[in-house]
Amino acid sequence: MAGLKIENLYKSFDINGTKVNALTNINLSVEDGSFVTVIGKSGCGKTTLLRIICGLEEQTEGSVSFIYKEGIPSEMHSKKKVGIVFQEPRLMPWLTVKENMAFPLIKNKDRIEVYDTVNKYLNMLGLEKFKEAYPSQISGGMAQRVSLGRTLCYNPEIILMDEPLGALDAFNRRKLQREFINIFLENKKTIIFVTHDVDEAVYLGQKIVVMDKGFIIKEQSVDMDYYRNSSCSKFLQIRDSMLKEFSI
């Protein structure tokens, strides 16, 4: 397991000879085993930040460090296992549900271990009855669960989620929100969850990071137990304080 420390992070792009700053002086600490939500308007730099954390993008300046608890062997410090769940499930259509979930374990020669791991998450995510189905035969909500299961099979130390529920209807969205909480409580993974939905950020996050125009403009701790009542006064107070940051 690992936490994360981001220091003085900048990212700029050259677009037709013009320098565009996507991230400016980002400083952020994410504790090991915590659930952090990141909110902001489209284009504020949320996805760019995730892409840098997982190594899909190089920062212009600054550093991203993985912080381990005392007692973790030093050879583990260079592995930096990070998994990412995208807004679209990105499943391989020629593979079944169980085969998609097993894909990160393709190099594991212990087939019993692979079988046990995949079945564990099939059961956890309520997909055991659909394990032989293909992506075209399941709903969007199920496909997103398969994508999450694939990431869990990979067993990363940090899970990044880039608006994974953005394309779902309200019913499936709330159901999967609760499943994310169940998985977090059971596995104690470090989760960084990007969303543009303020209610979702408050419902899920132990800490909310607010971004605007490439800057972090606010960090807010959420001192509420799971599962949260989205109509209680404390929830609404935190939500309204987040909305004020965007002059909504």
Side-chain angles (χ1 to χ4, degrees), residues 8 12 57 64 67 80 107 120-121 124 145 179-180 190 195 218 234:
N8 307 318
S12 60
E57 198 86 53
V64 178
I67 309 301
K80 304 176 183 175
K107 294 182 179 179
K120 172 185 175 180
Y121 292 115
M124 178 185 293
R145 277 185 271 167
E179 288 185 1
F180 287 160
T190 303
T195 180
K218 184 182 181 69
K234 189 171 185 178

Side-chain angles (χ1 to χ4, degrees), residues 179-195:
E179 288 185 1
F180 287 160
I181 293 170
N182 290 337
I183 289 164
F184 170 69
L185 294 175
E186 181 169 335
N187 293 271
K188 299 301 180 185
K189 298 286 187 184
T190 303
I191 297 177
I192 303 175
F193 187 106
V194 160
T195 180

Side-chain angles (χ1 to χ4, degrees), residues 122-151:
L122 282 169
N123 289 323
M124 178 185 293
L125 295 168
L127 293 166
E128 64 278 0
K129 294 181 180 179
F130 303 92
K131 63 183 179 181
E132 302 295 344
Y134 289 90
S136 62
Q137 299 172 316
I138 59 178
S139 68
M142 285 184 187
Q144 198 58 272
R145 277 185 271 167
V146 177
S147 178
L148 176 60
R150 180 177 57 192
T151 298

Side-chain angles (χ1 to χ4, degrees), residues 4-242:
L4 190 69
K5 189 169 186 179
I6 300 171
E7 297 181 287
N8 307 318
L9 191 74
Y10 290 78
K11 177 63 181 180
S12 60
F13 297 96
D14 190 324
I15 301 177
N16 295 327
T18 302
K19 181 181 177 182
V20 177
N21 294 320
L23 297 172
T24 302
N25 197 28
I26 299 295
N27 290 277
L28 177 66
S29 293
V30 177
E31 293 185 9
D32 174 32
S34 65
F35 199 135
V36 174
T37 50
V38 182
I39 61 171
K41 297 177 183 178
S42 297
C44 72
K46 306 185 300 295
T47 295
T48 300
L49 180 60
L50 287 196
R51 288 177 62 84
I52 290 173
I53 292 172
C54 69
L56 293 175
E57 198 86 53
E58 284 288 332
Q59 63 264 37
T60 305
E61 296 180 39
S63 63
V64 178
S65 304
F66 292 79
I67 309 301
Y68 292 81
K69 289 182 178 179
E70 291 184 11
I72 300 295
S74 59
E75 61 268 20
M76 291 290 293
H77 292 199
S78 61
K79 293 187 177 180
K80 304 176 183 175
K81 286 185 71 175
V82 179
I84 186 164
V85 180
F86 296 97
Q87 182 171 352
E88 314 84 20
R90 300 192 182 186
L91 304 180
M92 287 165 278
W94 59 89
L95 298 181
T96 63
V97 164
K98 71 176 182 182
E99 290 168 341
N100 267 286
M101 287 176 56
F103 190 78
L105 307 173
I106 195 168
K107 294 182 179 179
N108 189 337
K109 300 189 185 307
D110 188 338
R111 307 321 294 171
I112 294 177
E113 182 179 347
V114 171
Y115 176 86
D116 289 343
T117 299
V118 172
N119 275 280
K120 172 185 175 180
Y121 292 115
L122 282 169
N123 289 323
M124 178 185 293
L125 295 168
L127 293 166
E128 64 278 0
K129 294 181 180 179
F130 303 92
K131 63 183 179 181
E132 302 295 344
Y134 289 90
S136 62
Q137 299 172 316
I138 59 178
S139 68
M142 285 184 187
Q144 198 58 272
R145 277 185 271 167
V146 177
S147 178
L148 176 60
R150 180 177 57 192
T151 298
L152 292 171
C153 285
Y154 177 58
N155 193 29
E157 295 157 292
I158 297 176
I159 299 177
L160 310 177
M161 298 189 183
D162 189 8
E163 299 192 32
L165 307 181
L168 299 183
D169 61 74
F171 303 103
N172 277 312
R173 188 170 190 138
R174 179 47 64 96
K175 183 177 181 180
L176 280 178
Q177 285 172 353
R178 292 183 67 87
E179 288 185 1
F180 287 160
I181 293 170
N182 290 337
I183 289 164
F184 170 69
L185 294 175
E186 181 169 335
N187 293 271
K188 299 301 180 185
K189 298 286 187 184
T190 303
I191 297 177
I192 303 175
F193 187 106
V194 160
T195 180
H196 59 266
D197 185 313
V198 176
D199 285 79
E200 184 168 76
V202 180
Y203 187 73
L204 294 175
Q206 295 174 322
K207 178 166 78 172
I208 305 170
V209 176
V210 184
M211 294 186 66
D212 190 30
K213 299 177 182 177
F215 293 85
I216 290 178
I217 61 172
K218 184 182 181 69
E219 293 184 33
Q220 170 78 52
S221 295
V222 182
D223 184 20
M224 296 179 68
D225 293 333
Y226 296 117
Y227 302 87
R228 295 168 183 168
N229 181 350
S230 58
S231 62
C232 77
S233 59
K234 189 171 185 178
F235 186 102
L236 295 174
Q237 181 181 11
I238 295 172
R239 185 200 65 181
D240 290 347
S241 73
M242 296 293 102

